[in-house]
Amino acid sequence: MLAVISAMLITGAPVQLADDGAGTTSQVSSTSSGVADLSPAARSLPSEQETPVPVSPEAMPASPTQATPPIGVSPVRMPPTPQNDIVVTGRKESAGDPLRAVNAESFAVTQKVDNAVIGPVARTYKKAVPSPIRHGVHNFLYNLREPIVFLNFLLQIKPGKAAETVGRFAINSTLGAVGVLDIAKRKPFRLPRRSNGFANTLGYYGVKNGPFLFLPLVGPTTVRDLFGGAIDRLILPVGVGKPFTSATYTAPAGVLGALDHRSEFDQTLKDLHDNSPDPYAATRAFYLNRRQAEIDRLHGRGEGDPAGMSEPPPSVRPFVPKNLEPGAALRPVLPGIPASGTTVPSETPLVESTATETPVAEAAVEPDSQP
């Protein structure tokens, strides 16, 4: 009987026991190749049960046209697990533009002033002043912002970046001649300049942009960024006092800062204004996307420039997003651009820079993983 049970386990097929009239049993089993008999030794075993076991139709030998049953114990089939579809979508944080008419008018007036005065002065400054001096002014002005960057990294509970910012400020304020030279970004320190401010802290904790604004002298901004920038400008005058409260410092620092920023972003503004069929919408989209890239970078989930809005992007691709400018009318500024009254498809690039780098909103920069 043990041999019979063993044969059942090995072949996985039902077994029929029949009496041969001599007190012994014979066994027929279904195998993968047809019907097979046990060995004579097995047939000589004493029978413990004389009653034949009926064979079910499923246990009959398989015909040549039927599929061969598997050998061994059939696997246990688990009930199917419900699957959830994963949908990956792009994330874009945008601001509404309920004051578009006022903003567009302010943009047009600012453009006229920029074309007549600010732009030519900034380009003259860039051509006339040697590059080392301009870079020194740029580094000095942004080195003064390092305490603001440090405080906001603390507010965002990022002690690692806060410590690096303190290191940058200490190195550049001493070895870098009060910040004129950016020694901290060089070997062996390798501490990059990072942009941060109270507006970023508000965005980091989920405060929305609010309506988009385009203000004279300020340029593109939002309600959140306008409020955050005002807090940033109060930190040094309130926390330190003189010379940051004196007009002898604030006036020349403001003028130099405006010239430095305008000269650094000259090519970017040309791409956004001169080479775009809708300069206002392109400027707004560029600003909002780049600002959102800064917030996303703080969360470690996006790509962006660590210097943020303090440095110009390597290239610009102006576009008119549908959610910001539905049905935007175009002017025939560039070859191939449709005439006024037509619309641009959602997220369709209008102008692509000749630079080989990717646009700032899509710049491939390693995300910061350090807290």
Side-chain angles (χ1 to χ4, degrees):
M1 190 61 183
L2 293 177
V4 173
I5 296 174
S6 300
M8 291 175 64
L9 293 177
I10 293 174
T11 62
V15 177
Q16 176 182 2
L17 298 178
D19 191 353
D20 58 0
T24 61
T25 59
S26 62
Q27 180 182 19
V28 179
S29 63
S30 174
T31 64
S32 60
S33 60
V35 179
D37 293 330
L38 291 178
S39 63
R43 287 198 295 267
S44 65
L45 291 174
S47 174
E48 297 182 4
Q49 183 175 0
E50 299 296 335
T51 304
V53 178
V55 180
S56 62
E58 292 80 0
M60 297 299 292
S63 63
T65 58
Q66 292 178 334
T68 303
I71 299 176
V73 181
S74 301
V76 179
R77 296 184 180 273
M78 300 298 293
T81 303
Q83 297 180 352
N84 296 325
D85 293 333
I86 300 176
V87 180
V88 180
T89 58
R91 178 179 179 273
K92 178 180 291 184
E93 186 73 25
S94 61
D97 195 2
L99 303 175
R100 190 196 186 287
V102 177
N103 290 334
E105 184 65 26
S106 176
F107 175 81
V109 173
T110 303
Q111 278 300 102
K112 291 179 181 179
V113 175
D114 182 83
N115 293 335
V117 180
I118 301 177
V121 172
R123 285 187 282 270
T124 301
Y125 167 79
K126 189 173 184 177
K127 292 179 181 179
V129 179
S131 178
I133 297 178
R134 287 189 291 106
H135 289 163
V137 171
H138 181 83
N139 292 335
F140 173 79
L141 293 174
Y142 279 96
N143 188 59
L144 293 176
R145 286 190 53 85
E146 298 290 10
I148 301 171
V149 174
F150 163 75
L151 289 176
N152 282 280
F153 275 137
L154 286 183
L155 292 175
Q156 296 157 12
I157 316 178
K158 295 182 179 294
K161 291 187 176 66
E164 288 185 0
T165 304
V166 171
R168 271 188 56 85
F169 183 70
I171 293 169
N172 287 340
S173 297
T174 54
L175 301 179
V178 296
V180 173
L181 302 175
D182 192 354
I183 302 297
K185 72 177 182 180
R186 305 176 187 175
K187 294 181 179 180
F189 307 109
R190 296 290 191 182
L191 298 176
R193 174 185 291 142
R194 292 188 173 96
S195 176
N196 208 348
F198 193 65
N200 287 18
T201 300
L202 293 175
Y204 180 78
Y205 287 110
V207 178
K208 300 299 182 181
N209 284 304
F212 176 79
L213 304 171
F214 195 98
L215 304 178
L217 301 179
V218 176
T221 186
T222 62
V223 172
R224 182 194 66 193
D225 292 354
L226 188 65
F227 175 75
I231 298 297
D232 291 342
R233 284 187 286 272
L234 290 175
I235 291 178
L236 291 180
V238 173
V240 179
K242 290 185 178 182
F244 302 106
T245 56
S246 173
T248 56
Y249 165 80
T250 57
V255 172
L256 284 175
L259 286 176
D260 172 72
H261 187 83
R262 179 60 180 80
S263 63
E264 289 288 320
F265 279 80
D266 186 60
Q267 184 58 48
T268 300
L269 294 178
K270 283 183 179 179
D271 290 338
L272 290 173
H273 300 166
D274 301 342
N275 298 332
S276 174
D278 192 337
Y280 169 75
T283 300
R284 180 182 56 190
F286 169 79
Y287 175 83
L288 293 176
N289 287 333
R290 203 165 194 219
R291 286 292 293 119
Q292 186 59 41
E294 285 191 89
I295 306 300
D296 289 342
R297 188 179 177 84
L298 290 174
H299 286 284
R301 63 170 175 241
E303 300 171 347
D305 189 351
M309 298 295 290
S310 65
E311 303 290 348
S315 65
V316 177
R317 208 188 330 180
F319 60 93
V320 183
K322 183 178 180 180
N323 63 328
L324 291 179
E325 192 68 22
L330 304 180
R331 300 196 308 269
V333 177
L334 297 175
I337 297 297
S340 177
T342 58
T343 58
V344 183
S346 172
E347 308 289 337
T348 302
L350 302 179
V351 182
E352 183 169 359
S353 174
T354 55
T356 57
E357 297 88 350
T358 53
V360 62
E362 305 168 333
V365 182
E366 265 183 48
D368 276 327
S369 58
Q370 179 184 356

